[in-house]
Amino acid sequence: MSKPALTRTRDDADLERMLREQERDGNPMAALLSKKKASEAIPELPKWKGPFPPNRFGIRPGYRWDGVDRSNGFEKKLFTAQADMRATSEIAYQWSVEDM
């Protein structure tokens, strides 16, 4: 029974195997060579299928959402203000090019 050496040398088989098994960022062949990632994929949760109020980040509600909007109304006011600004600028543009 031989004990493993305390030092690592250039021709250490265990070190070589460990380094080859590591997956590194930026490796273009990692997608083709990796069989671990396919088996370790996270199962996708179900998505909310009904309508939901828009938000400024575009995040869909979770699949357990009960459909009740519990916001304080800020998002609604924000979207209303943005729509008013767009409409005002469009009317101003149309007025400025009316004579042309």
Side-chain angles (χ1 to χ4, degrees):
M1 210 176 358
S2 68
K3 295 181 181 177
L6 293 176
T7 59
R8 301 278 180 147
T9 60
R10 192 180 317 181
D11 55 347
D12 188 5
D14 292 332
L15 176 64
E16 184 71 23
R17 186 175 1 90
M18 182 187 71
L19 291 175
R20 286 180 186 259
E21 289 175 357
Q22 286 180 353
E23 293 183 16
R24 297 176 181 85
D25 288 339
N27 184 359
M29 292 296 290
L32 298 174
L33 298 176
S34 174
K35 294 180 182 175
K36 291 180 184 178
K37 285 191 178 182
S39 65
E40 294 176 1
I42 298 171
E44 199 164 317
L45 295 175
K47 303 227 185 260
W48 176 258
K49 293 183 173 67
F52 58 93
N55 59 55
R56 61 194 140 150
F57 304 111
I59 300 172
R60 296 181 59 90
Y63 71 99
R64 293 182 176 159
W65 184 51
D66 60 355
V68 178
D69 184 13
R70 293 180 177 86
S71 69
N72 61 2
F74 174 76
E75 303 267 336
K76 193 175 207 178
K77 290 177 189 174
L78 179 73
F79 286 130
T80 304
Q82 287 176 348
D84 289 344
M85 287 177 60
R86 278 195 299 269
T88 303
S89 66
E90 180 67 25
I91 290 170
Y93 173 75
Q94 288 177 355
W95 181 80
S96 68
V97 295
E98 186 176 24
D99 299 343
M100 293 184 178

